[in-house]
Amino acid sequence: MGYRVVVAGATGNVGREMLNILSERHFPVDELAVLASRKSLGTEVSFGEKTLKTTDLDTFDFTGWDIALFAVGSEATKQYAPKAAKAGCIVIDNSSLYRYDPDVPLIVPEVNADAITGYSKKNIIANPNCSTAQMVVALKPLHDRATIKRVVVSTYQSVSGAGKEGIDELWDQTKSIYNPVDDKPARKFTKQIAFNVIPHIDAFMDSGETKEEWKMVAETKKIVDPSIKVTATCVRVPVFVGHSEAVNIEFEDHLDEDEAREILREAPGVMVIDKREDGGYVTPVECVGDFATFISRIRQDSTIDNGLNLWCVSDNLRKGAALNAVQIAELLGNRVLQKG
């Protein structure tokens, strides 16, 4: 006996990836509803070998459905997630709306699976920000061994993090560079993204940091440990899929780079590719379509007493969004619903 599952936002990049991963991981689905906004009604999406037509999110009745994976953005989530939760359908939300709500668990299953029990307060579980998700998978096993004091992270985030419009803008601008009569000005991004990098993701805050940077701070504290100090600089780069991060970690206790490498090799969801030779590391192009978070360039930071540097790469549409949501659904099934 399986689950009755809803995917809301099924025509978007993350929604389509959710359907792919539900199929790839053989999630026990008895019945599947694919929902979209009215402008996308009737659009066909794939689930394994099946082709499904989307139905209207606005009129959908969530009564009798077990799990709803939401990939519709904060505004639509604010309207429809409470409706689904009230109807008894557990919402796993990919937007930022509920991440900082103390009554809503924010979960990365490899890191804080036990937090799943908190779902019952609102019948809602939050999925973290894409850049946070991959980082905390690497931080948690190291924190368990040597206690992290401070993290300094610089991100190199792909345009798919900004949705289909971001992907289209990079594609169109890249082509236009070689065609002088075909100018493609910045629309989705604040400056040209082709052959450029932009140190600005999400809105600026009074502190001078962007909302994306603030998210990484707040979410790491909620998921891993509130005592960890985090500072982030988030940068958009001309890569289609795959976020990269240069992470500097300061520990309470000494942690040798060789021991850190072995700890990460054994950590769930992590793949260590770390050879000190040409090509002995992972880049975003190589991580696309993979479930793992890849760690490379592990080395001691000699400028502080207990410091390490590492390079972290992951498919942001997978671990940063769709995969993590499906893993939460699996965790929910195994620990709470126990139907599949």
Side-chain angles (χ1 to χ4, degrees), residues 92-94 99 104-116 125-141 219-220 222-224 268-270 291 293 314 318-321 323-329 331 335:
I92 301 170
D93 176 38
N94 196 60
R99 289 176 189 159
V104 173
L106 178 65
I107 293 179
V108 175
E110 297 94 333
V111 177
N112 63 335
D114 290 345
I116 194 76
I125 302 165
N127 215 26
N129 188 39
C130 48
S131 51
T132 306
Q134 68 187 68
M135 183 174 74
V136 298
V137 168
L139 293 184
K140 181 59 164 62
E219 293 175 21
T220 301
K222 184 172 179 178
I223 295 168
V224 184
V270 173
F291 290 143
T293 294
S314 189
R318 291 205 154 208
K319 186 54 190 171
L323 170 62
N324 200 74
V326 173
Q327 287 177 304
I328 293 171
L331 182 65
R335 294 213 185 174

Side-chain angles (χ1 to χ4, degrees), residues 34-293:
V34 289
L35 311 183
S37 63
R38 286 184 178 171
K39 68 179 181 180
S40 300
L41 282 189
T43 301
E44 292 186 341
V45 294
S46 297
F47 175 62
E49 295 181 357
K50 297 178 182 177
T51 300
L52 306 172
K53 282 191 175 181
T54 56
T55 54
D56 189 1
L57 172 60
D58 191 49
T59 58
F60 186 77
D61 183 0
F62 289 90
T63 304
W65 293 83
D66 297 304
I67 299 169
L69 305 178
F70 267 55
V72 293
S74 293
E75 284 304 310
T77 297
K78 185 186 292 185
Q79 183 176 353
Y80 299 107
K83 183 189 296 186
K86 188 176 180 180
C89 180
I90 301 169
V91 173
I92 301 170
D93 176 38
N94 196 60
S95 81
S96 62
L97 184 64
Y98 291 105
R99 289 176 189 159
Y100 318 106
D101 185 327
D103 291 333
V104 173
L106 178 65
I107 293 179
V108 175
E110 297 94 333
V111 177
N112 63 335
D114 290 345
I116 194 76
T117 55
Y119 86 93
S120 59
K121 291 179 182 176
K122 288 193 173 179
N123 242 18
I124 297 172
I125 302 165
N127 215 26
N129 188 39
C130 48
S131 51
T132 306
Q134 68 187 68
M135 183 174 74
V136 298
V137 168
L139 293 184
K140 181 59 164 62
L142 301 178
H143 181 62
D144 288 346
R145 161 61 181 81
T147 309
I148 295 171
K149 290 171 61 177
R150 182 172 185 255
V151 175
V152 181
V153 56
S154 297
T155 71
Y156 307 76
Q157 294 179 228
S158 66
V159 294
S160 57
K164 184 178 182 298
E165 291 174 330
I167 292 173
D168 290 346
E169 189 154 311
L170 174 57
W171 176 250
D172 292 340
Q173 280 185 359
T174 301
K175 290 187 296 179
S176 74
I177 296 292
Y178 297 99
N179 184 355
V181 298
D182 183 25
D183 182 43
K184 297 291 184 185
R187 289 193 172 87
K188 179 64 177 177
F189 301 113
T190 55
K191 296 200 175 192
Q192 175 186 311
I193 185 60
F195 303 96
N196 198 19
V197 298
I198 305 171
H200 175 194
I201 301 178
D202 212 324
F204 276 99
M205 303 176 73
D206 290 343
S207 63
E209 63 188 342
T210 65
K211 188 74 178 293
E212 185 81 358
E213 292 156 357
W214 176 87
K215 288 174 188 174
M216 292 194 75
V217 176
E219 293 175 21
T220 301
K221 288 176 175 289
K222 184 172 179 178
I223 295 168
V224 184
D225 187 334
S227 66
I228 295 176
K229 296 177 180 178
V230 181
T231 183
T233 300
C234 294
V235 182
R236 190 72 72 190
V237 297
V239 170
F240 284 111
V241 179
H243 287 357
S244 306
E245 298 169 350
V247 188
N248 176 266
I249 311 166
E250 182 180 359
F251 298 92
E252 294 277 0
D253 303 317
H254 178 72
L255 179 59
D256 179 80
E257 64 186 43
D258 292 328
E259 184 183 356
R261 197 174 287 110
E262 290 308 308
I263 289 169
L264 290 169
R265 286 190 199 283
E266 298 298 321
V270 173
M271 179 74 70
V272 175
I273 307 291
D274 188 19
K275 297 180 181 179
R276 294 176 179 178
E277 60 187 43
D278 293 352
Y281 42 79
V282 175
T283 61
V285 167
E286 297 154 306
C287 79
V288 175
D290 207 296
F291 290 143
T293 294

